[in-house]
Amino acid sequence: MAGGVAKNDQRRLAEVAGLERDRALLGRASTAERVADILRDRITEGYFPPGARLSEESIGGALGVSRNTLREAFRLLTHERLLVHELNRGVFVRIVTVEDLDDIYRVRTLVECAAVRSLGEGPYDESTTAAVAAIEAAVQAGEAASRERAWQDLSTANIRFHQGIVALAGSPRTDELMRGVLAELRLVFHVMADPRRFHAPYLTRNRQIVEALQAGDAAEAERLLLSYLEDSRSQLSGAYAQHIARD
């Protein structure tokens, strides 16, 4: 038995030794993820517009990070389809295609409608009620932004509305998926540069959806949401296709 314990101890020591060799990687990855978070926010806010080249020297100097760390952050954002690497040219903010846009809406329809459908009939439990309250807060923020003619704030409130819809599923993985999908979508809105046109008409529909949820009528909320997404895809895809053709 003593021999068995010794062998187990040796195995544990070998495993720890392997982890110790990865300590440097852990620190670097952690920093790269933080840098990616910063750049992701800047990209989705329009600070770096679609097609813009990202300078390693200027960004690395501004953030005080190494070239390797910055390249790892770029790699993470390329995986999220926010950046694209062009050989011998550098890293650029991705320009979404019309086909990409249609696919984004397919994913949104699948995920958002399923999140609402999963609720069933009300009354809902405490966690779902809190999630619906977050959606209501996003609707109110959108209505306030519209009154103040703060169109970028309206765009942000609308994104939060849809993030709140997805959060109804109570799935961190789904939340993470939709964070990337909605970030891609914002690249399209930055190109169109007219958030009022593409968000203001849907404020009333946001209100109708949240009121259906508050009434415990998930089926009606899903019906309204499906129609909403179909109309939004048709409007935005058509306008985006014309914009791309002009360029």
Side-chain angles (χ1 to χ4, degrees):
M1 182 172 180
V5 172
K7 289 181 179 178
N8 287 338
D9 289 342
Q10 290 173 359
R11 188 182 71 249
R12 292 192 191 98
L13 287 172
E15 291 170 349
V16 171
L19 288 174
E20 287 177 347
R21 288 193 297 269
D22 290 335
R23 284 180 63 181
L25 293 176
L26 177 62
R28 187 166 66 239
S30 157
T31 304
E33 287 168 0
R34 290 196 296 270
V35 172
D37 288 341
I38 292 169
L39 294 178
R40 184 188 302 106
D41 288 344
R42 290 289 192 168
I43 291 168
T44 57
E45 289 166 3
Y47 185 85
F48 297 115
R53 181 179 178 276
L54 301 189
S55 166
E56 286 187 4
E57 183 176 356
S58 60
I59 294 174
L63 295 177
V65 297
S66 70
R67 178 166 294 183
N68 285 340
T69 295
L70 186 58
R71 286 178 176 176
E72 174 63 12
F74 284 171
R75 187 192 66 80
L76 293 171
L77 295 176
T78 298
H79 180 71
E80 294 179 20
R81 301 173 64 84
L82 294 179
L83 299 179
V84 60
H85 179 266
E86 296 185 10
L87 189 62
N88 298 324
R89 294 193 64 218
V91 176
F92 296 80
V93 178
R94 190 164 164 269
I95 298 175
V96 176
T97 68
V98 176
E99 292 75 18
D100 289 329
L101 179 57
D102 287 338
D103 192 43
I104 286 169
Y105 269 89
R106 278 193 290 271
V107 174
R108 291 185 65 192
T109 299
L110 286 169
V111 175
E112 293 187 46
C113 289
V116 173
R117 191 182 315 123
S118 69
L119 298 179
E121 295 183 3
Y124 302 129
D125 61 23
E126 186 175 339
S127 63
T128 300
T129 300
V132 172
I135 298 171
E136 166 70 27
V139 172
Q140 291 181 6
E143 291 168 343
S146 180
R147 288 193 298 270
E148 296 167 6
R149 304 178 69 82
W151 307 123
Q152 287 299 331
D153 291 345
L154 173 60
S155 174
T156 298
N158 197 52
I159 291 292
R160 289 177 180 167
F161 170 82
H162 290 284
Q163 288 174 327
I165 291 290
V166 175
L168 293 171
S171 166
R173 290 172 178 81
T174 304
D175 292 340
E176 183 71 16
L177 167 67
M178 287 304 292
R179 184 186 72 170
V181 169
L182 293 173
E184 274 193 87
L185 184 61
R186 294 200 78 166
L187 295 181
V188 175
F189 288 130
H190 289 317
V191 169
M192 301 309 293
D194 189 2
R196 178 184 181 182
R197 175 185 175 189
F198 298 104
H199 294 301
Y202 294 92
L203 273 175
T204 300
R205 299 172 81 164
N206 288 355
R207 170 58 63 191
Q208 291 171 341
I209 290 168
V210 76
E211 287 178 353
L213 291 171
Q214 290 167 335
D217 192 348
E220 174 65 5
E222 183 186 359
R223 185 190 69 78
L224 291 168
L225 179 61
L226 178 59
S227 175
Y228 174 119
L229 290 173
E230 288 176 345
D231 290 346
S232 177
R233 184 207 61 77
S234 178
Q235 180 199 23
L236 185 57
S237 182
Y240 190 63
Q242 291 178 3
H243 179 87
I244 293 296
R246 287 197 301 270
D247 291 349

